[in-house]
Amino acid sequence: MSRNSVKIYTIPTCSDCNYAKRFFNEHQVSFTEYNCEEDATYAEEVRKLTGKQIVPTIVIDDRVFVGFAENLTEISDRLHK
């Protein structure tokens, strides 16, 4: 189980977002989900973090990842430190 602080900014129709959430659940990683479609302030947070409005945006401790599949190895490594 991870001790990291994990946030994920999503929208419901994003397949990469759903893949990330499934991965976290399967690996018993606790995370907080922020649905950018339900609350525009979350979309603004993503823009401030990344300069873009793209999901999933994943924040693990102080590290920001834009996208999941292309960052899977680094995300996995960071969670298992």
Side-chain angles (χ1 to χ4, degrees), residues 1-7 24-25 27-32 79:
M1 185 184 291
S2 171
R3 294 184 193 164
N4 304 83
S5 168
V6 179
K7 299 178 187 178
F24 293 147
N25 285 326
H27 290 88
Q28 299 177 338
V29 173
S30 296
F31 63 92
T32 304
L79 291 172

Side-chain angles (χ1 to χ4, degrees), residues 4-23:
N4 304 83
S5 168
V6 179
K7 299 178 187 178
I8 181 169
Y9 294 85
T10 67
I11 60 171
T13 56
C14 169
S15 61
D16 208 30
C17 299
N18 292 327
Y19 178 38
K21 293 186 294 183
R22 186 170 54 249
F23 174 87

